[in-house]
Amino acid sequence: MSNVKILDKEFELFIPYEKIRSVIETMAEKMNEDLKGKNPLFLCVLNGSFMFAAEIFKRITLLDAEISFVKLASYTGTNTTGQVKELIGLNESLENRTVVVLEDIVDTGITIDNTIKQIEAKNPAQVQVATLLLKPDALVKEVELDYVGLEIPNDFIVGYGLDYDGRGRNLIDIFKVVE
Ligand code: 5GP
Ligand code: MG
């Protein structure tokens, strides 16, 4: 596929769908092994993770697996430490559950660190994290990631659920910005 233009930026093909799918198949195989008998609750962090979550969840063969969808809402707190993001949309009790967080991408790790802390406050038995993509060179938080699809360099990417200013989520492949 040739380059795509989204708003003011040009993007080039970076990870073709076939590669994404094979990485997800491997992640799902490992999850099916690890999560046997655990009645796991998968938590898809919207919006960016919706394609990844669908692709992984249909490969989870455990009949006791459940999935739910949450979102991080930005609001201005009363402190001056910047943006605080609150986990919203959770209807299930996490008490004593095995929770598997599904993230599209871990960049600095601040978002996932904050998400894990809010989940842990709800007394789950265990919290695992699965991210399709990881930018290891951007990490500023020490986070434990149980399943990592692909490590990528610090380039801005779109596609497969990830957006540039709301656009590009419907691209089936992942593209990176052309500087
Ligand atoms: P972090 O808090 O780890 O720095 O960032 C995580 C969030 O930033 C992701 O959930 C995603 O929404 C966004 N993000 C980080 N890197 C990229 C990228 O390359 N492309 C897009 N579209 N979003 C990104
Ligand atoms: Mg995300």
Side-chain angles (χ1 to χ4, degrees):
M1 195 174 178
S2 52
N3 288 9
V4 294
K5 179 116 196 271
I6 300 175
L7 302 171
D8 59 328
K9 289 194 198 304
E10 195 175 322
F11 294 86
E12 63 185 16
L13 181 61
F14 181 43
I15 312 168
Y17 174 66
E18 286 66 35
K19 174 72 181 172
I20 300 170
R21 195 188 51 200
S22 106
V23 154
I24 292 175
E25 278 166 1
T26 306
M27 294 174 91
E29 268 171 40
K30 187 162 185 281
M31 288 173 173
N32 284 323
E33 279 301 311
D34 292 356
L35 299 167
K36 243 176 235 167
K38 291 197 164 175
N39 179 214
L41 175 63
F42 288 76
L43 279 188
C44 167
V45 186
L46 295 170
N47 293 329
S49 303
F50 75 99
M51 279 204 196
F52 170 52
E55 195 100 54
I56 204 135
F57 198 61
K58 66 190 172 188
R59 291 181 172 82
I60 299 299
T61 51
L62 309 165
L63 291 174
D64 63 352
E66 298 170 40
I67 190 165
S68 193
F69 301 84
V70 293
K71 204 163 182 160
L72 288 164
S74 308
Y75 67 92
T76 316
T78 46
N79 61 21
T80 50
T81 54
Q83 241 186 16
V84 188
K85 290 197 169 182
E86 189 195 356
L87 196 66
I88 59 165
L90 193 64
N91 302 315
E92 294 77 4
S93 162
L94 301 186
E95 197 88 30
N96 281 318
R97 297 294 308 264
T98 291
V99 176
V100 184
V101 183
L102 300 176
E103 257 292 14
D104 47 0
I105 185 165
V106 173
D107 187 20
T108 62
I110 292 170
T111 305
I112 193 68
D113 181 67
N114 172 34
T115 307
I116 294 166
K117 287 194 171 117
Q118 292 187 60
I119 290 170
E120 277 174 347
K122 297 176 191 299
N123 300 314
Q126 184 189 7
V127 183
Q128 291 196 340
V129 180
T131 184
L132 177 60
L133 302 167
L134 169 66
K135 292 181 182 172
D137 300 336
L139 272 178
V140 299
K141 284 275 178 187
E142 228 176 88
V143 284
E144 204 182 303
L145 304 170
D146 300 271
Y147 310 94
V148 176
L150 281 172
E151 295 192 356
I152 62 167
N154 279 355
D155 299 306
F156 184 75
I157 56 160
V158 292
Y160 201 74
L162 289 143
D163 73 307
Y164 171 47
D165 204 10
R167 311 282 175 88
R169 293 194 198 276
N170 49 337
L171 293 165
I172 192 162
D173 308 296
I174 292 174
F175 290 75
K176 76 171 177 189
V177 74
V178 180
E179 306 283 6

